[in-house]
Amino acid sequence: MSNFLRTQLPTLDAGLSRTGTWWQARSPRERTMLAAMAVFLAAVVLVFGVVKPIQGARAAALADIRTYETLNARIRAAGSLSSVKPQRRTGAPETIANQSAGAFGVALTTAPIAGGVRASVADASYDSLVHWLADVTTTSDLRVRRVTLQRLAAPGHVSGTVELGQ
């Protein structure tokens, strides 16, 4: 291999020879300091030239995914465009919330609050929960006041509390 480099790349061979001579002229202390500096520079280049840009791109991609998932959920919740209006639900807020939740497979624990109802969900798919909220707001006079969600270990599943009121 060395003969190949000498015959094919004489400039490289000359440069390596000069670098070797220069390195041998350094004292052991200088060699140690230069090696440490080279390792430090390599680490800086690795972190700021490779790791940080990858982390930034990943964070941007995750933000885009969240945005598009939210838009997708809103589009699905909006449903199809039709002139037929959904049947209005009437009754106590707890009854309305439970009736609508049953249609989407969301298990609720409800508690009355002033002017509405607080619904707790232990485990539901995110899509079902969003569809349920859309259904409640389109088929009744209840409006979402506050939503607190927490992601569960199962992908796409959440738990949380929803306050609905008029």
Side-chain angles (χ1 to χ4, degrees):
M1 181 81 170
S2 156
N3 288 335
F4 172 76
L5 289 177
R6 287 188 184 137
T7 58
Q8 299 296 322
L9 304 168
T11 307
L12 179 64
D13 187 43
L16 289 174
S17 177
R18 276 185 279 157
T19 303
T21 304
W22 176 83
W23 184 257
Q24 293 302 323
R26 305 292 116 214
S27 70
R29 181 173 177 248
E30 289 175 323
R31 287 183 201 165
T32 303
M33 289 182 355
L34 287 170
M37 183 180 68
V39 168
F40 176 73
L41 286 175
V44 167
V45 167
L46 178 69
V47 168
F48 291 104
V50 177
V51 174
K52 288 286 187 180
I54 289 173
Q55 285 178 337
R58 182 177 183 271
L62 288 173
D64 288 346
I65 288 169
R66 279 189 216 104
T67 299
Y68 293 127
E69 283 180 345
T70 302
L71 288 173
N72 191 19
R74 286 181 179 175
I75 290 169
R76 286 183 182 170
S80 62
L81 299 175
S82 70
S83 61
V84 178
K85 295 198 176 214
Q87 182 180 354
R88 300 292 291 173
R89 296 180 196 271
T90 58
E94 291 180 33
T95 306
I96 294 171
N98 283 319
Q99 285 175 349
S100 179
F104 295 95
V106 176
L108 299 179
T109 304
T110 57
I113 59 173
V117 63
R118 177 179 294 126
S120 299
V121 180
D123 182 7
S125 78
Y126 178 77
D127 289 340
S128 296
L129 190 67
V130 170
H131 290 306
W132 166 64
L133 290 175
D135 182 65
V136 166
T137 58
T138 57
T139 61
S140 72
D141 292 332
L142 293 177
R143 297 293 171 249
V144 177
R145 289 184 185 168
R146 175 181 286 173
V147 177
T148 305
L149 296 179
Q150 290 184 328
R151 181 174 49 180
L152 297 177
H157 283 255
V158 294
S159 67
T161 305
V162 178
E163 289 184 10
L164 300 166
Q166 296 177 353

